[in-house]
Amino acid sequence: MRPRIYLFGDSITEESFTNGGWGSSLANHFCRTMDVVLRGYSGYNTRWALKVLEKVFPPPESGGAPMAVTVFFGANDACLPDRCSGFQHVPVEEYRKNLHAIIAFLKKRWPSVHILIITPPPIDEDGRLLNPFVENESGLPERTNEAAGRYAKACLAVAAECGIPAVDLWTKMQQIPGWQKAYLRDGLHLTQGGQRVVFDEIIGELKGVGLSLETLPVDLPLIADIDPKDPIKSFEN
């Protein structure tokens, strides 16, 4: 069977297959070498993610361990507890522990799997005020960029402690002037430009652990490799 990569995360992962998102771009990039399996759950935080791990990932006895898993949580954990989406909030220390637990689960299930952790993106607070998920009586954004930065820092610390690669999306996006509208369509979720940043960063990190078009075998003969004079011969090996 063709190897797989699982994309595990919240709405930014769930939406990654829409309108040329980073997930569909990965599927297109690896179209003849690796299957991209979407496991995104809008609104989820790491506390909820821990509760569903056994349902999200196949048991080890099913065979075919994935080559890689992306873990992309934090945007919902970082909701402020005293504002309109406070029910999604997870304290930053618990967030760290939850990420450790998710990574430990994946490593125990598939010891050879490559895990790539992604920080939450930066937050455009003006954009969030215009696009609240629930009724916002306070008139204050339910997320702030400062809070998202604390969770991004915690995410990177977990990656370092576990010895796994990480994408620092929070920092990367803010390096570009005008990132608020260039990369975020509602202060949180990604525009086409934001999707491209995530895709490029993931491709770079996967290449760093040996997963690239140059290293992954194509699963069946390419049309260019089929002899027009004896096509069937290409399928005999």
Side-chain angles (χ1 to χ4, degrees):
M1 296 294 292
R2 188 182 295 179
R4 289 165 291 159
I5 175 173
Y6 278 89
L7 312 181
F8 183 41
D10 53 33
S11 59
I12 303 175
T13 296
E14 182 175 329
E15 294 180 359
S16 70
F17 268 59
T18 60
N19 301 319
W22 61 270
S24 59
S25 294
L26 286 172
N28 179 64
H29 183 80
F30 291 114
C31 64
R32 289 289 295 269
T33 57
M34 186 161 57
D35 287 336
V36 179
V37 184
L38 180 62
R39 293 293 183 270
Y41 302 90
S42 180
Y44 277 40
N45 55 36
T46 53
R47 185 183 294 164
W48 304 350
L50 277 176
K51 295 292 185 181
V52 300
L53 288 173
E54 292 287 352
K55 295 180 180 180
V56 169
F57 298 105
E61 60 268 20
S62 67
M67 280 196 164
V69 178
T70 62
V71 178
F72 193 176
F73 288 98
N76 298 314
D77 300 69
C79 285
L80 299 180
D82 58 347
R83 298 191 185 176
C84 62
S85 290
F87 71 101
Q88 293 170 286
H89 171 75
V90 172
V92 69
E93 284 305 314
E94 182 187 345
Y95 170 71
R96 286 184 61 146
K97 292 177 182 178
N98 292 344
L99 284 180
H100 271 291
I102 292 169
I103 292 165
F105 171 90
L106 293 170
K107 286 186 172 182
K108 182 178 180 180
R109 178 149 295 198
W110 301 299
S112 63
V113 71
H114 295 288
I115 302 170
L116 173 60
I117 195 168
I118 306 170
T119 76
I123 297 295
D124 171 24
E125 293 162 32
D126 290 339
R128 291 312 304 148
L129 283 174
L130 295 173
N131 297 277
F133 175 66
V134 295
E135 186 175 354
N136 184 7
E137 295 181 355
S138 73
L140 298 170
E142 87 286 14
R143 294 168 171 85
T144 66
N145 197 36
E146 180 184 4
R150 291 196 296 271
Y151 285 75
K153 184 178 180 179
C155 180
L156 295 174
V158 170
E161 291 157 6
C162 295
I164 61 174
V167 171
D168 185 0
L169 196 61
W170 188 82
T171 298
K172 181 70 177 181
M173 285 188 166
Q174 292 184 81
Q175 293 173 346
I176 305 300
W179 59 268
Q180 294 91 336
K181 300 300 183 287
Y183 293 151
L184 305 173
R185 61 176 172 81
D186 60 0
L188 170 64
H189 299 95
L190 306 178
T191 62
Q192 287 288 313
Q195 301 277 5
R196 184 69 194 188
V197 172
V198 177
F199 169 76
D200 288 341
E201 291 296 306
I202 290 175
I203 288 295
E205 293 295 338
L206 291 178
K207 190 172 185 178
V209 297
L211 300 180
S212 68
L213 296 183
E214 292 75 25
T215 60
L216 294 168
V218 175
D219 64 347
L220 290 171
L222 296 169
I223 183 64
D225 298 327
I226 296 176
D227 184 352
K229 297 180 180 179
D230 189 5
I232 299 302
K233 184 178 180 180
S234 297
F235 302 96
E236 292 176 351
N237 296 325

